[in-house]
Amino acid sequence: MSVLRLEDNIKDTMQHTTSKLKRTQSDALFNEAKTYFPGGVNSPVRAFKSVEGSPLFIKNGNGCMIIDEDGNQFIDFCCSWGPLILGHNNPEVKQAIISTVENGTTFGTPTAVGNTIGKLILDNHRYIDKLRFVSSGTEAVMSALRLARGYTSKSKIVKFEGCYHGHVDSLLVKAGSGLATFGVSTSAGVPESFAKDTLVLPLNDLQGVRELLQSKSDEIAAVIIEPVPANNGLLLQDKDYLIGLRDLCTEYGVLLIFDEVISGFRVGFEGAAGYYGIQPDIITFGKIIGGGMPVGAYGGRADIMAHIAPDGPVYQAGTLSANPVTLAAGIATLTQLLDPNFYPSLRQKTEHFVQSIKSHITSKGYEMQIVTIGSIFWFAFGHDRIIRSDQIDPASMEKFKRMHGELLNNGVYLGPSGYEVGFISSAQTYKTLDQASKIICKAIDNIF
Ligand SMILES: *Cc1c(COP(=O)(O)O)cnc(C)c1O
């Protein structure tokens, strides 16, 4: 189905603003899925636990639109949680995948396509010298931590409350009582012996980092942060804070890891490192770098990366790492991102969209805000700037839940949790964004 057809059809959806979504097929499929998979899903947030109804089973995506098994159409702001910066079924990405698959899917050997993506990234990203591909963001982070530990011969890691780094054992932790404390695991199955090697601090508190590094830097291998924290709301940090982190890590001989699985290639080709002009020691990637195929990667300074096997003693391997299909999708995606107009145009679209909702919220005086950077946005409730996870009022999630339901009924798809951010893909047009904005403003009216 062509994108144009889909866009025209939104008008129909918009007219039935009170009609309930038809969910017959999705509900039946979900009931069946529950007999195969825990909770009926293969990743927990997909289960729609914090919004109304059960999950929609999506069967088709084209441009900025997705269609579920009942034939409902939505303007998509989830974008598979971030990878699809070009939207669904981008013609070049699709073609690259198809022509690669013609020659086989994986060989477990080096490939020429590997060199192509290596050159493409390293020639255009000033903050990493060498790169290693893996198959998920979680794997990238896990490997980066091992590398940091192997390089420094130290064992503890500092992380921040409100940053997510995948489901790595030692990072599924929250702060215990007290200020800079040993982590307490947030998932069953994570031994306390793992959690205790992770120290957890609040975001936006440089003094806390200084004190911790002063007392424990001889045990701390690395500080890891999402420089654009986008997994627990969008907790934008001050540039000075991030620069301060860099300086403290340098001063105390601790590596700084930027987890750019979301922000990499999203806030610019050079991600948050380029956006803020800060040189981390290691950067982790995922999502966009694989163009919608399963992927992760980590890169860093040449002398640090030289510690990875087979050059060095830090073991890390993967049967399907850098498989040619993923890399072809990555190349086709990243090549389009290198067009000098790509990011400015996407930012302009996002600003237009965000501004239209912002003026509505302001004119009505609603206790709500929309936070944004690059092509990421987040709806937050309340007026105050939210910079730490403890500033998010859990009670406000009730409002998000109602808003999410209203939006689905009217053809707009947001990720099914108020803690998740939304993404604008380049497949959005001013027309689709204006349509979505109208629907969103109406939904906001209805919840206030
Ligand atoms: C998504 C994400 C991860 C985990 O990536 P997966 O591919 O889901 O394992 C890690 N870190 C950040 C910042 C992420 O957004």
Side-chain angles (χ1 to χ4, degrees):
M1 197 173 290
S2 81
V3 180
L4 250 169
R5 253 287 302 291
L6 293 179
E7 282 174 26
D8 290 342
N9 285 347
I10 303 171
K11 278 196 222 104
D12 299 337
T13 324
M14 277 175 75
Q15 279 153 16
H16 306 293
T17 46
T18 50
S19 72
K20 271 274 180 221
L21 201 61
K22 188 167 164 257
R23 297 175 107 130
T24 321
Q25 293 303 323
S26 281
D27 284 352
L29 286 164
F30 189 50
N31 284 333
E32 185 189 351
K34 281 192 263 192
T35 68
Y36 308 139
F37 312 116
V41 292
N42 291 288
S43 193
V45 72
R46 296 180 193 175
F48 268 46
K49 287 283 187 201
S50 46
V51 292
E52 293 165 356
S54 46
L56 301 180
F57 279 59
I58 303 300
K59 68 169 176 196
N60 182 312
N62 212 322
C64 66
M65 303 297 298
I66 49 176
I67 306 178
D68 70 12
E69 294 283 352
D70 288 287
N72 301 304
Q73 306 178 16
F74 306 91
I75 306 179
D76 180 28
F77 292 98
C78 178
C79 297
S80 192
W81 303 100
L84 302 181
I85 192 168
L86 303 173
H88 298 270
N89 234 345
N90 174 268
E92 278 94 343
V93 177
K94 180 176 162 182
Q95 196 46 55
I97 291 171
I98 292 170
S99 36
T100 305
V101 163
E102 294 284 350
N103 298 321
T105 54
T106 175
F107 312 111
T109 67
T111 58
V113 76
N115 288 7
T116 306
I117 196 166
K119 181 171 168 53
L120 181 70
I121 294 171
L122 296 176
D123 278 357
N124 293 287
H125 198 304
R126 289 165 295 173
Y127 297 85
I128 47 174
D129 298 331
K130 276 201 176 158
L131 194 61
R132 166 70 57 92
F133 273 95
V134 293
S135 298
S136 73
T138 296
E139 200 186 344
V141 171
M142 182 189 84
S143 309
L145 297 188
R146 185 181 305 140
L147 173 59
R149 286 169 163 147
Y151 178 80
T152 60
S153 303
K154 297 190 277 187
S155 63
K156 291 197 184 338
I157 303 290
V158 177
K159 76 155 286 213
F160 299 93
E161 196 90 59
C163 288
Y164 174 70
H165 302 290
H167 63 92
V168 179
D169 274 319
S170 65
L171 296 183
L172 286 179
V173 297
K174 63 176 186 329
S177 51
L179 194 60
T181 62
F182 297 110
V184 177
S185 66
T186 53
S187 164
V190 175
E192 289 308 329
S193 57
F194 288 20
K196 82 172 179 14
D197 272 334
T198 308
L199 303 158
V200 187
L201 287 173
L203 284 164
N204 185 44
D205 172 17
L206 212 49
Q207 188 54 27
V209 179
R210 182 187 306 281
E211 282 164 18
L212 182 57
L213 293 192
Q214 251 163 15
S215 65
K216 289 207 168 69
S217 66
D218 57 336
E219 296 171 62
I220 298 172
V223 169
I224 184 165
I225 188 169
E226 273 184 273
V228 174
N231 276 287
N232 209 300
L234 184 56
L235 308 172
L236 297 181
Q237 301 297 295
D238 292 326
K239 182 177 178 179
D240 285 350
Y241 168 75
L242 296 170
I243 293 174
L245 269 190
R246 172 66 279 177
D247 292 346
L248 284 173
C249 286
T250 306
E251 183 181 344
Y252 287 99
V254 168
L255 296 186
L256 177 63
I257 304 174
F258 271 8
D259 181 353
E260 298 228 46
V261 173
I262 277 193
S263 56
F265 309 101
R266 172 60 68 175
V267 298
F269 196 90
E270 294 177 312
Y275 185 91
Y276 293 111
I278 296 171
Q279 174 70 65
D281 299 296
I282 302 173
I283 305 181
T284 56
F285 301 99
K287 301 192 170 112
I288 292 175
I289 202 174
M293 300 294 290
V295 79
Y298 59 107
R301 244 169 47 208
D303 66 310
I304 297 175
M305 295 301 282
H307 280 64
I308 300 164
D311 280 356
V314 177
Y315 186 72
Q316 189 275 304
T319 301
L320 295 170
S321 293
N323 74 84
V325 185
T326 292
L327 298 190
I331 291 166
T333 299
L334 300 180
T335 304
Q336 294 178 66
L337 306 189
L338 282 172
D339 179 327
N341 284 325
F342 183 83
Y343 290 104
S345 146
L346 189 55
R347 197 175 330 112
Q348 256 169 30
K349 278 184 195 172
T350 307
E351 271 164 21
H352 172 83
F353 171 74
V354 165
Q355 201 48 52
S356 69
I357 299 169
K358 221 180 230 174
S359 12
H360 185 75
I361 292 171
T362 313
S363 73
K364 300 275 181 158
Y366 296 142
E367 278 209 31
M368 190 181 170
Q369 56 185 308
I370 173 166
V371 185
T372 185
I373 182 172
S375 47
I376 311 175
F377 67 91
W378 178 54
F379 293 112
F381 295 88
H383 287 309
D384 297 335
R385 179 179 176 199
I386 300 180
I387 198 164
R388 289 194 322 268
S389 54
D390 63 358
Q391 293 168 320
I392 304 175
D393 176 10
S396 70
M397 291 304 153
E398 207 40 52
K399 281 209 180 67
F400 178 83
K401 186 176 179 171
R402 286 178 49 218
M403 179 169 152
H404 189 267
E406 296 259 347
L407 293 181
L408 283 189
N409 281 336
N410 292 289
V412 168
Y413 191 93
L414 286 186
S417 157
Y419 292 96
E420 303 288 351
V421 296
F423 298 98
I424 310 275
S425 73
S426 62
Q428 293 275 8
T429 63
Y430 283 90
K431 190 176 161 197
T432 55
L433 288 172
D434 285 344
Q435 284 169 335
S437 163
K438 238 180 253 161
I439 295 167
I440 290 167
C441 291
K442 189 137 184 275
I444 294 173
D445 286 341
N446 289 345
I447 60 166
F448 279 100

